[in-house]
Amino acid sequence: MQPSPEQSPHHAYPDHWEADVVLRDGGTARIRPITTDDAERLVSFYEQVSDESKYYRFFAPYPRLSAKDVHRFTHHDYVDRVGLAVTVGGEFIATVRYDRIDASGRPASAPADEAEVAFLVQDAHQGRGVASALLEHIAAVARERGIRRFAAEVLPANNKMIKVFRDAGYTQHRSFEDGSVHLTLDLEPTAESLAVQRAREQRAESRSVQRLIAPGSVAVIGTGRNPGGVGRTVLRNLLAAGFTGRTYAVNSALGADQTTIDGVPAHRSIGEIRETVDLAVVAVPAERVPEAVADCGEHGVQGLVVLSAGYAEWGAEGRERQRELVRQARSYGMRIIGPNAFGLINNSDAVRLNASLAPEPPASGRIGLFTQSGAIGIALLSGLYRRGAGLSTFISAGNRADISGNDFLQYWYEDPDTDVALLYLESIGNPRKFTRLARRTAAVKPVVVVKGARHSGSTPPGHAVPASRIPDATVSALMRQAGVIRVDTVTEMVDAGLLLADQPLPAGPRVAILGNSESLGLLTYDACLAEGLRPRPPRDLTTAATPQDFRDALAEALADAGCDAVIVTAIPWVGENGQAESGDGEVLAAALRTAAATGPAKPVAVVHVEIGGLAEALAAATSTAAVPRVTRSAPAAPGAAAGPGAAGASGGPVTQAPPASSTAPSSSTTSAFPTASAGQERPTGSADPVGRHAPQRPDTDAGPAPTPGRIPAYPAAERAVRALAEAVKYAQWRRQAAVPGKVPEFLDDTIDEAGAAARIDALLGPDPDPRGRPLGHDEARELLGRYGITVRPTLPAPDPDAAVAAATRLGYPVALKTTAPHLRHRADLGGVRLDLADEDALRRAYGELTDLLGKPTELQPVVQSMAPRGVDTVVRATIDPAAGAVLSFGLAGAPSELLGDTAHRLVPATDRDAAELIRSIRAAPVLFGWRGSAPVDTGALEELLLRVSRLVDDHPEVVSVALEPVVVATQSLTVLGASVRLAPPPARTDLGPRRLPNY
């Protein structure tokens, strides 16, 4: 909302203070500056506030606002006097204002840095977290205007307001003066205030998702009068799923005599329904959606699923229509899935919601699935359905104009029904927030991501996201730093998801391989080596192996302390007539499940080749209850489920067999395996039904035991091994994340943060170029030196005599090198001469250099003293507008650049990040004594990485740092070249007050 002309002309309306926020109960509201046009809204708001709240605000009975009050509270200069309002449906529900004061409490202007603050929240909206959200935003505004402290006077009986201040996490001081509590808050963010803010964000956004996926009532707007159509399909799916709430059909064209559709109460509008509707599924043409949204908002609907197309995917006009849709819905406090969405599913027994177009709804399970693509959503649902896998929740968000994958990560983080989160993403609207949320969620349950549109160079239609300059390989590295399991295809995502949902995490990379095919075992062995696992030689049970042989071999492998996981390979048995038998795989499935259930808790996967019924039997579920995820050397984590397991004929999880009465083959059944020999019992579905996650075999008289869980099955060795390798890497990350890294304290003693800040301000000047500026060699050396980073000096050598003078000053031996942009760091082009021991060698090298490459004015040669021999490396840090500050490391030279052998971590980096950074490149052995060479000083290299990380984290104006080369010797390192670029700091949306993104 723009101000009227009479608004102070000296300070423009600060539209960047406007924000949509999610409140504690999951509803939304808008925060914006108060303007002179708000007089009537303010009076109306005040009339709805109770006398008690008015008394708490003004310390005296204050039944109404005078004209002078209204003028004062609506006229601000947006610097010394600021007022913010919270609105829902365009009307005020809360206000806050600050007035800058001096040391004696009188009105003041800058440089006074204290302000008096006061809140007023309508009684009907108290308890929704409105005041807490307002405090975050007014504090950010105050900091922007140079205010460092808030002072507030609160009556002792106003416990709610005292609690708002107390719980904010800011440093505060309290005293009791003249019958009121005097509070002073330091507005500099603290670790506690940031933690409080993020905890509130998680609760609010999780609750906003819960309101959508667990409604008490649903209305389908656009339900056709005749069979067919999108709305009618959704209504049919709602009924077929057995939704536990109330269902309504809405169609504005209904006749007065048509009161039901498919047995469901039918109405012409939401307003005709005599109770509040929680969720509305909108399936009308785009031009009619605004009318439907207004109808919903005016009658208390909490959330929308907009299936309608015709929005941002249709171009500029559609994008504006989409923005208006979001603005309209949020103005009523509603959140949106969509538009152009496929729908959502919640398989909880308490809800049983299928508000989607899914033709094959999945079974109930422990996997949460989010996708931005309806087509991919259909494919994933179909694949999971065929493989017997079950879902807790499914969301296809379409253009994800509002609700995104970040919101569902907030929800799944503490959802007891979800053990594994799968996400197909074509864009990431807030990468910094995604990384933060994914890291927190991955600490308690696996997060598996497929990123589409990786190489297209364009944003998918309908998705407004910040542009990123970092390559996809860097994005993948940063995801893995956050514990995200990044895979390339949706098939790999399902493969990994099934194993992670059904199996405990492995304690290490040691894999036992057993089966009845030597060739399939060798393929599995090779695949393990290719994925970085440590396989043991395959154990060939021969084609004569019975299910009992498989059971015994698996039990033996699981009991082996030198084994962390087992892969079972199985092919059909060849009968006496030479034909491959395709008998029931249920027998083998029961044997494998029994062995897995009674052995130590280790992951088991099955690779099978056309064994009829095996995958289905392994995937058959009898329970969707969560199963504790166990590893031998890591703390138990709430991640594994007894959920769906596997594939059908195309690959699936091995699961428990049904009861013996239904699975035991008759005497006439042909088995794919030889008959058990004398003395052996043929396994059945009820044999030894012990919980498969039990750490050891229980006594036979220990009472009823849990049913064996599912085992994932795969049609190819490579797929099973790849899924297991991802589980191994994830388990290792979980163990490491349990003890987070830290930034060594010794850095503080050698860093001049204040001096660096002052120097940066001076270099940028009072009116910095938004494009930034590169620093000269000496400027970069000085700035880096304030962070304990020493760059070896260079001296210009425009002619041979200047080169000799420079070498004399620096001391021989020296290096002569060019600094022209096209030759910089290209030793392979002959632009560097090393170990020049005297003047003759230097003059000779100078002549060779200019004869070969060009004139001195083109080459810009410099002289530098020689550094100890070592390994040439490169350290870089850049600020990406989407991902944030990224620290990178690799070896110097063309081969590393061509192969992309560079490692990346997000800033700020910890000691563990620095250690992992130098060890994660493929050429890392060169640093640790490869082929008999001396190991280099990796400790000094880790310290350098930490110093660069601190520099860019402390000073966001440092948008680029490149140290190249960094020569790492056996007992030291030398930085030979450095470039630094400064620019006005980019906005840090992840550190500001909570707000919903505006697309």
Side-chain angles (χ1 to χ4, degrees):
M1 173 176 291
Q2 298 298 322
S4 295
E6 61 267 24
Q7 190 75 47
S8 170
H10 302 293
H11 304 288
Y13 177 80
D15 54 7
H16 64 287
W17 293 351
E18 295 182 355
D20 293 317
V21 297
V22 183
L23 302 177
R24 182 182 300 157
D25 61 359
T28 64
R30 186 160 186 80
I31 296 177
R32 65 168 177 83
I34 298 174
T35 75
T36 55
D37 292 336
D38 289 321
E40 292 185 7
R41 293 184 184 87
L42 182 65
V43 171
S44 175
F45 157 72
Y46 194 77
E47 289 174 349
Q48 299 176 64
V49 175
S50 70
D51 291 339
E52 181 183 45
S53 295
K54 293 173 182 176
Y55 186 88
Y56 285 153
R57 167 65 177 85
F58 294 104
F59 292 19
Y62 215 89
R64 64 186 58 84
L65 296 175
S66 67
K68 183 178 179 180
D69 292 330
V70 173
H71 184 276
R72 177 189 172 209
F73 293 149
T74 56
H75 285 68
H76 306 95
D77 62 9
Y78 301 131
V79 177
D80 300 326
R81 292 175 292 107
V82 172
L84 300 180
V86 182
T87 67
V88 173
E91 299 301 320
F92 285 10
I93 66 168
T95 62
V96 64
R97 62 177 284 113
Y98 78 66
D99 293 89
R100 196 189 299 258
I101 58 176
D102 59 19
S104 60
R106 292 191 296 266
S109 298
D113 60 359
E114 185 171 335
E116 187 176 43
V117 66
F119 296 76
L120 185 59
V121 180
Q122 215 171 75
D123 295 67
H125 295 277
Q126 293 179 8
R128 301 183 65 199
V130 175
S132 298
L134 264 182
L135 178 56
E136 289 179 21
H137 283 261
I138 197 68
V141 167
R143 289 193 298 269
E144 181 181 328
R145 296 309 194 199
I147 292 172
R148 297 290 172 259
R149 290 181 305 282
F150 272 163
E153 299 290 336
V154 185
L155 288 174
N158 194 356
N159 294 318
K160 291 180 180 179
M161 200 66 242
I162 292 175
K163 188 175 188 300
V164 167
F165 288 118
R166 185 185 66 225
D167 294 348
Y170 295 113
T171 302
Q172 58 183 272
H173 310 279
R174 284 198 290 176
S175 60
F176 189 76
E177 303 173 8
D178 300 326
S180 66
V181 178
H182 181 79
L183 292 163
T184 303
L185 274 72
D186 294 334
L187 299 183
E188 187 66 26
T190 66
E192 183 181 356
S193 69
L194 188 60
V196 168
Q197 176 180 314
R198 289 176 173 173
R200 288 171 173 166
E201 173 192 66
Q202 190 275 326
R203 288 193 299 269
E205 293 180 358
S206 174
R207 176 58 182 155
S208 73
V209 170
Q210 187 178 29
R211 285 169 29 137
L212 289 165
I213 67 172
S217 56
V218 176
V220 181
I221 302 175
T223 305
R225 290 172 291 177
N226 300 315
V230 173
R232 196 70 175 261
T233 299
V234 173
L235 181 63
R236 184 179 66 244
N237 291 343
L238 277 167
L239 298 175
F243 176 53
T244 58
R246 297 168 302 285
T247 307
Y248 302 95
V250 176
N251 186 329
S252 60
L254 288 178
D257 59 340
Q258 189 169 4
T259 58
T260 63
I261 295 178
D262 288 342
V264 169
H267 303 270
R268 283 175 293 185
S269 68
I270 294 290
E272 289 186 1
I273 302 174
R274 295 185 178 180
E275 68 164 328
T276 300
V277 173
D278 295 331
L279 176 68
V281 181
V282 181
V284 298
E287 60 270 16
R288 291 175 49 200
V289 169
E291 178 186 352
V293 173
D295 187 24
C296 292
E298 291 166 3
H299 294 93
V301 174
Q302 295 182 348
L304 306 173
V305 178
V306 181
L307 307 183
S308 310
Y311 288 90
E313 76 278 8
W314 282 18
E317 182 180 349
R319 279 194 293 273
E320 184 53 41
R321 185 184 297 125
Q322 182 168 299
R323 293 189 186 102
E324 182 55 38
L325 167 64
V326 175
R327 284 193 290 265
Q328 183 185 17
R330 288 180 179 173
S331 73
Y332 289 110
M334 299 184 293
R335 300 207 67 184
I336 300 174
I337 292 178
N340 196 27
F342 187 69
L344 76 160
I345 297 172
N346 182 356
N347 276 328
S348 168
D349 286 337
V351 181
R352 298 200 297 274
L353 173 72
N354 181 7
S356 78
L357 300 170
E360 295 179 331
S364 179
R366 311 290 306 176
I367 298 174
L369 175 61
F370 176 92
T371 172
Q372 290 178 358
S373 163
I376 296 297
I378 294 172
L380 285 168
L381 286 176
S382 179
L384 290 166
Y385 180 85
R386 289 195 307 272
R387 298 181 70 170
L391 297 180
S392 60
T393 44
F394 163 78
I395 309 91
S396 177
N399 294 0
R400 66 131 183 83
D402 182 23
I403 292 282
S404 70
N406 284 349
D407 294 287
F408 275 89
L409 282 177
Q410 298 276 38
Y411 175 76
W412 284 329
Y413 169 66
E414 56 186 9
D415 177 27
D417 294 331
T418 301
D419 288 336
V420 180
L422 308 183
L423 298 96
Y424 171 79
L425 306 175
E426 293 179 346
S427 63
I428 303 176
N430 189 337
R432 296 186 186 190
K433 182 176 179 179
F434 173 81
T435 301
R436 169 169 57 85
L437 300 185
R439 177 189 289 273
R440 185 190 60 189
T441 305
V444 296
K445 59 186 70 174
V447 177
V448 188
V449 171
V450 172
K451 176 68 169 61
R454 292 178 294 163
H455 306 298
S456 66
S458 62
T459 301
H463 295 199
V465 299
S468 176
R469 294 189 295 263
I470 58 178
D472 182 70
T474 305
V475 174
S476 183
L478 299 182
M479 283 190 179
R480 290 198 177 275
Q481 181 189 2
V484 173
I485 300 171
R486 169 79 183 272
V487 294
D488 294 329
T489 68
V490 292
T491 299
E492 292 177 0
M493 178 170 70
V494 173
D495 286 344
L498 293 177
L499 186 138
L500 290 163
D502 295 327
Q503 298 297 303
L505 293 176
R510 301 169 299 179
V511 182
I513 303 169
L514 61 93
N516 63 349
S517 168
E518 181 180 11
S519 298
L520 191 53
L522 291 174
L523 286 173
T524 305
Y525 182 86
D526 291 342
C528 286
L529 291 176
E531 292 293 337
L533 301 177
R534 291 165 50 190
R536 303 176 64 177
R539 178 178 177 182
D540 184 14
L541 303 179
T542 77
T543 56
T546 67
Q548 183 65 42
D549 294 329
F550 273 89
R551 173 179 171 174
D552 294 342
L554 178 56
E556 182 179 340
L558 291 171
D560 187 348
C563 162
D564 300 312
V566 182
I567 297 179
V568 178
T569 63
I571 63 171
W573 174 64
V574 179
E576 295 179 358
N577 59 1
Q579 299 295 317
E581 302 285 355
S582 59
D584 59 10
E586 289 87 350
V587 179
L588 177 59
L592 295 176
R593 287 176 35 259
T594 301
T598 56
K602 298 177 182 179
V604 178
V606 172
V607 178
H608 69 98
V609 178
E610 298 300 333
I611 299 181
L614 175 61
E616 291 84 351
L618 290 172
T622 61
S623 172
T624 59
V627 177
R629 189 177 296 280
V630 181
T631 61
R632 190 181 60 219
S633 59
S650 62
V654 182
T655 85
Q656 64 187 50
S661 60
S662 63
T663 62
S666 67
S667 58
S668 62
T669 300
T670 302
S671 172
F673 294 87
T675 306
S677 58
Q680 290 180 322
E681 294 183 5
R682 187 184 182 98
T684 65
S686 60
D688 203 7
V690 181
R692 68 164 312 285
H693 290 283
Q696 59 185 10
R697 301 174 187 268
D699 296 334
T700 55
D701 59 350
T707 312
R710 292 183 273 200
I711 302 174
Y714 304 87
E718 295 79 8
R719 288 173 58 178
V721 171
R722 193 173 296 119
L724 179 60
E726 295 293 354
V728 168
K729 287 182 280 190
Y730 170 68
Q732 181 182 15
W733 180 90
R734 278 274 290 268
R735 289 190 290 270
Q736 293 175 343
V739 183
K742 58 183 182 298
V743 177
E745 294 181 359
F746 70 83
L747 293 180
D748 296 332
D749 300 330
T750 56
I751 288 176
D752 180 10
E753 182 178 348
R759 186 62 183 141
I760 289 170
D761 289 341
L763 290 168
L764 282 175
D767 187 20
D769 186 339
R771 296 172 298 178
R773 58 156 294 196
L775 298 188
H777 175 73
D778 291 338
E779 292 172 331
R781 284 188 64 232
E782 179 189 2
L783 179 60
L784 292 169
R786 294 183 183 276
Y787 270 71
I789 301 170
T790 302
V791 181
R792 184 155 293 211
T794 61
L795 297 176
D799 55 58
D801 292 337
V804 171
T808 302
R809 179 178 172 184
L810 296 173
Y812 289 99
V814 296
L816 177 68
K817 53 188 181 180
T818 63
T819 60
H822 67 288
L823 296 173
R824 188 186 297 271
H825 308 310
R826 291 299 307 275
D828 55 309
L829 297 181
V832 178
R833 297 292 188 273
L834 303 176
D835 286 322
L836 305 176
D838 51 35
E839 179 179 341
D840 291 341
L842 176 58
R843 289 183 180 275
R844 185 167 56 253
Y846 200 101
E848 294 173 353
L849 206 63
T850 54
D851 291 343
L852 177 65
L853 299 175
K855 299 177 181 179
T857 53
E858 299 172 351
L859 303 182
Q860 303 171 29
V862 297
V863 174
Q864 189 174 51
S865 60
M866 286 295 297
R869 294 284 186 173
V871 178
D872 289 359
T873 65
V874 181
V875 174
R876 293 190 178 96
T878 58
I879 306 295
D880 182 78
V886 179
L887 182 67
S888 304
F889 171 77
L891 298 191
S896 291
E897 292 185 16
L898 288 171
L899 296 174
D901 191 17
T902 305
H904 312 273
R905 292 293 184 274
L906 285 175
V907 169
T910 66
D911 54 354
R912 175 175 294 159
D913 292 328
E916 292 175 352
L917 200 58
I918 65 176
R919 289 164 174 80
S920 57
I921 60 173
R922 295 193 293 277
V926 174
L927 303 170
F928 295 92
W930 184 62
R931 289 189 172 181
S933 61
V936 301
D937 191 350
T938 54
L941 189 55
E942 291 171 15
E943 180 180 330
L944 176 65
L945 289 165
L946 290 171
R947 291 184 183 278
V948 173
S949 171
R950 275 287 300 273
L951 172 64
V952 297
D953 189 46
D954 291 344
H955 307 284
E957 300 89 349
V958 181
V959 296
S960 175
V961 175
L963 308 182
E964 182 178 3
V966 177
V967 182
V968 190
T970 55
Q971 295 184 347
S972 64
L973 62 75
T974 307
V975 180
L976 296 182
S979 61
V980 178
R981 186 175 186 83
L982 303 181
R988 289 292 302 271
T989 56
D990 57 321
L991 294 181
R994 289 174 284 160
R995 64 170 62 214
L996 289 171
N998 290 318
Y999 297 124

